[in-house]
Amino acid sequence: MINCTAAAINDPTRVCDADGILIAQYLALSGLASAYFALGNRGGK
């Protein structure tokens, strides 16, 4: 993800063809992070 972000910032005209793929990667990463925090808070105290 860091490499993809750096490439998009460095040369956005070359990455515009893969825009849908980058959006899907960020959506998957945000979904994974939200699932981690949502399921991690279910433990009993």
Side-chain angles (χ1 to χ4, degrees):
M1 290 304 298
I2 293 171
N3 292 336
C4 290
T5 303
I9 291 171
N10 188 25
D11 195 4
T13 57
R14 290 184 64 192
V15 184
C16 70
D17 294 335
D19 192 32
I21 296 170
L22 290 174
I23 291 171
Q25 284 180 347
Y26 286 116
L27 284 173
L29 183 63
S30 65
L32 181 66
S34 63
Y36 173 78
F37 287 116
L39 296 176
N41 288 332
R42 289 190 174 194
K45 291 184 178 181

